[in-house]
């Protein structure tokens, strides 16, 4: 059975690609250092009026990061299925959460793009700006669970040598907690928990993408191991290949019996 | 039954082993060290913000009850001692005594939580909330995050107390005992840094 | 299929039948450390409540409080969390963190 190792690797590399695209695009748009929630409507309107081209280009590019996020999430589910088998609530939850995370990138981008699309009342520009920033930081409600179910699945792995190291399970769950404070940015117009704050923005960025790099590395390891074990014929715990092996064993036994009785 | 012989470093003729082991398992330490880094980051941000508004921060700190502060620290120190004792009892294969010690630590933690909630309510009554000024943003953020860890620790302690009463703990139980103990000690020592930062430094 | 182990082979387990012994600090040593932690806490509190000064001033005593706090953390790690018998790398990382955190926080306090 073809395990599609090359395609698995390609999908895994979507994660670093997502990271690069995100940071590059945001840098172009001038969004890496968020504006202050305390900025006046006029300041906000000026920002959009003075940087229209770079904002539009940067944010359109940033939308690609959303799609790339789903691709690596699908690969993660692919590997999680090897842990859970046919009955895999966590793997499917992870995929669903990863898919929703795409919205977290793209929807705010379109609010900002709308602001850059026409000249408007400063008050309206500020509203569109708010509509982008509040969820961009604050929409952690799916990535929290994405991390949590990955962590849970890793810790539930019953293999002698687990597919992912156990510390990664702990780390994933712990990082989910790090995302949590950002969800409360709506309470603040300044300070560490505001959308441009040390915790809601910077810690969030470091957590998400730091964890993503570790995840990429471990996913590649998992694929490499799957490849090695398939080549050596020792792929264990994989529900489909287990079935195939048992069938092969039964066939051999049946053949042996035939020869004996023949 | 798994019995780990413990010998005092001070006993004459003690067998000193070169064997070193990770308490709990590596994953716990990824979590603990990670938490340390993040909390240190938060403490650093706190000090940076403080330098921007020394008066606000000094006033906020003055308003806090320093007596509460030290009581919290002492309660948690006691709870840590209980946890150390619990592990010692487990290694002497006395599960029931270990369970009692875990429950002792739990009681301390619960007392801490009760006091903390009272303090929060008191501050809220006085008009100090998460958004009232920057000092209190940090106060509620730091004590809140700490309390979250404490609550997780409380659930852990109950679970460990139940686990301790079962006979013959195996490998995965020992990982839980040691790892859980380390988590609780982390709750204790995080408070040790939060206490002077919030309560003692004007 | 062959039954595989259902438990994680962790890096740390109390030996079951081995002669190898991990020597932990004695309960007496732990108690001594604990009493010292209590005393250090009380000392910090006494220093803290007796401090006077204007906001924005740098008090050398405050750096002392930070150092005491991180020193207490270090002792909790070594004695209570059993880092004394842990692999040197782990212990080293923890101790390094304690020192770096103390230095960083003191520097930030003094310089800012």
């Amino acid at each position: 059975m073809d395990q599609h190792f090359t395609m698995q690797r390609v999908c895994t590399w979507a994660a670093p690609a997502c990271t690069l695209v995100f940071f590059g695009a945001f840098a172009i748009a001038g969004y890496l250092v968020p504006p202050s929630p305390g900025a006046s409507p006029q300041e906000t309107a000026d920002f959009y009026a003075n940087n229209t081209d770079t904002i539009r280009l940067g944010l359109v590019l940033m939308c690609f990061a959303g799609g790339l996020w789903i691709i690596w999430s699908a690969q993660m589910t692919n590997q999680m299925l090897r842990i859970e088998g046919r009955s895999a609530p966590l793997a499917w939850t992870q995929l669903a959460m990863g898919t929703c995370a795409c919205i977290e990138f793209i929807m705010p981008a379109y609010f900002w793009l709308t602001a850059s699309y026409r000249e408007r009342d400063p008050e309206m520009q500020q509203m569109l700006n708010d509509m982008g920033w509040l969820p961009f930081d604050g929409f952690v409600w799916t990535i929290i669970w994405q991390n949590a179910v990955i962590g849970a699945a890793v810790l539930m792995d019953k293999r002698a040598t687990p597919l992912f190291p156990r510390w990664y399970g702990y780390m994933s769950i712990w990082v989910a907690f790090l995302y949590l404070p950002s969800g409360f940015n709506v309470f603040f117009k300044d300070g560490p928990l505001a959308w441009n704050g040390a915790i809601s923005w910077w810690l969030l960025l470091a957590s998400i993408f730091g964890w993503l790099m570790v995840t990429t590395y471990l996913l590649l390891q998992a694929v490499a191991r799957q490849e090695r074990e398939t080549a050596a014929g020792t792929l264990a715990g994989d529900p489909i290949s287990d079935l195939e092996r048992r069938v092969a064993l039964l066939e051999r036994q049946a053949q042996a019996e035939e020869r004996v009785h023949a | 039954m798994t019995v780990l012989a413990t010998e005092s470093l001070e006993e004459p003729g003690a067998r000193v082993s070169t064997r070193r082991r990770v308490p709990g398992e590596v994953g716990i330490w990824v979590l603990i060290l990670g938490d340390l880094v993040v909390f240190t980051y938060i403490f650093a941000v706190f000090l940076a913000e403080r330098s921007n508004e020394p008066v606000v921060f000094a006033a906020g700190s003055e308003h806090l009850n320093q007596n509460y502060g030290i009581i919290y620290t002492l309660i948690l120190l006691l709870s840590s001692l209980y946890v150390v004792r619990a592990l010692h009892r487990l290694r002497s294969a006395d599960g029931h005594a270990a369970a009692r010690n875990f429950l002792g630590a739990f009681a301390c933690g619960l007392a801490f939580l009760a006091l903390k909630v009272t303090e929060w309510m008191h501050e809220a009554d006085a008009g100090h909330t998460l958004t009232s000024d920057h000092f209190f943003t940090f106060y509620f953020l730091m004590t809140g995050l700490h309390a979250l860890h404490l609550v997780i620790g409380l659930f852990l302690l109950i679970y460990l107390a139940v686990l301790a009463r079962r006979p013959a703990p195996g490998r995965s139980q020992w990982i839980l005992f040691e790892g859980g103990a380390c988590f609780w000690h982390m709750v204790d020592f995080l408070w040790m840094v939060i206490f002077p930062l919030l309560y003692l430094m004007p | 299929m062959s039954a595989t182990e259902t438990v994680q082979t962790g890096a740390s387990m109390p030996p079951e039948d081995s002669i190898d012994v991990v020597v932990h600090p004695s309960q007496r040593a732990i108690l001594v450390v604990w009493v010292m932690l209590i005393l250090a806490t009380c000392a910090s509190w006494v220093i803290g409540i007796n401090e006077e000064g204007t906001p924005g001033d740098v008090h050398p005593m405050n750096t002392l409080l930070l150092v005491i706090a991180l020193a207490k953390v270090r002792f909790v790690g070594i004695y209570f969390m059993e880092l004394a018998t842990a692999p040197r790398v782990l212990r080293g990382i923890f101790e390094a963190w304690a020192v770096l955190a103390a230095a960083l926080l003191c520097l930030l306090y003094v310089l800012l």
Side-chain angles (χ1 to χ4, degrees), chain A residues 17 99 132 201:
Chain A
T99 308
W201 178 244

Side-chain angles (χ1 to χ4, degrees), chain B:
Chain B
M1 185 136 61
T2 306
V3 175
L4 177 67
T6 49
E7 298 184 59
S8 160
L9 282 167
E10 296 149 32
E11 277 178 17
R15 282 178 294 159
V16 179
S17 160
T18 53
R19 184 157 168 256
R20 293 180 161 270
R21 36 185 288 267
V22 176
E25 60 173 330
V26 175
I28 286 284
W29 285 96
V30 169
L31 199 143
I32 291 177
L33 292 173
D35 245 6
L36 291 187
V37 169
V38 173
F39 267 96
T40 307
Y41 173 66
I42 296 178
F43 297 151
V45 173
F46 171 80
L47 285 175
E49 283 281 327
R50 185 179 163 280
S51 72
N52 289 336
E53 296 177 87
V55 178
V56 171
F57 276 63
S61 183
E62 282 286 302
H63 196 267
L64 294 178
N65 188 331
Q66 290 169 328
N67 299 331
Y68 270 34
I70 188 175
I71 292 176
Y72 289 130
T73 318
L74 295 175
I75 289 179
L76 285 184
L77 266 174
L78 181 62
S79 72
S80 268
L81 187 64
Y82 271 125
V83 168
V84 172
R85 286 244 186 250
L87 280 201
H88 177 69
R89 294 283 180 225
L90 279 171
R91 294 198 173 108
S92 314
D94 189 351
H96 289 265
R100 280 198 299 275
N101 277 297
F102 280 129
L103 290 176
F106 176 85
C108 291
L110 206 58
F112 181 103
L113 195 61
L115 263 177
K116 186 107 310 275
V117 171
T118 318
E119 194 187 7
W120 283 341
M121 280 168 31
H122 174 74
E123 293 301 332
D125 276 344
H128 297 128
T129 62
L130 193 56
T131 48
S132 59
D133 68 50
H134 282 163
F135 175 81
F136 280 97
T137 300
F138 276 97
Y139 167 77
F140 282 105
L141 178 68
M142 281 158 59
T143 58
L145 282 176
H146 178 261
L148 178 64
H149 285 77
L150 185 110
V151 168
I152 294 174
L154 287 179
F155 280 106
L156 257 176
L157 285 173
I158 290 286
Y159 184 56
L160 292 180
V162 168
L163 217 54
R165 297 172 76 95
R166 294 190 195 153
R171 289 165 173 251
S172 32
Q173 280 77 33
W174 269 104
I175 291 179
L176 275 169
F177 287 133
E178 292 185 347
C182 283
F183 186 85
W184 186 262
H185 292 308
M186 181 181 72
V187 171
D188 180 13
F189 75 54
L190 281 176
W191 181 260
M192 280 179 194
V193 188
I194 294 177
F195 167 51
L197 278 176
L198 284 178
Y199 289 79
L200 295 182
M201 289 166 67

Side-chain angles (χ1 to χ4, degrees), chain A residues 55-69:
Chain A
I55 289 177
R56 287 176 187 165
L57 178 64
L59 291 178
V60 165
L61 287 176
M62 200 274 288
C63 289
F64 280 100
L68 288 168
W69 186 277

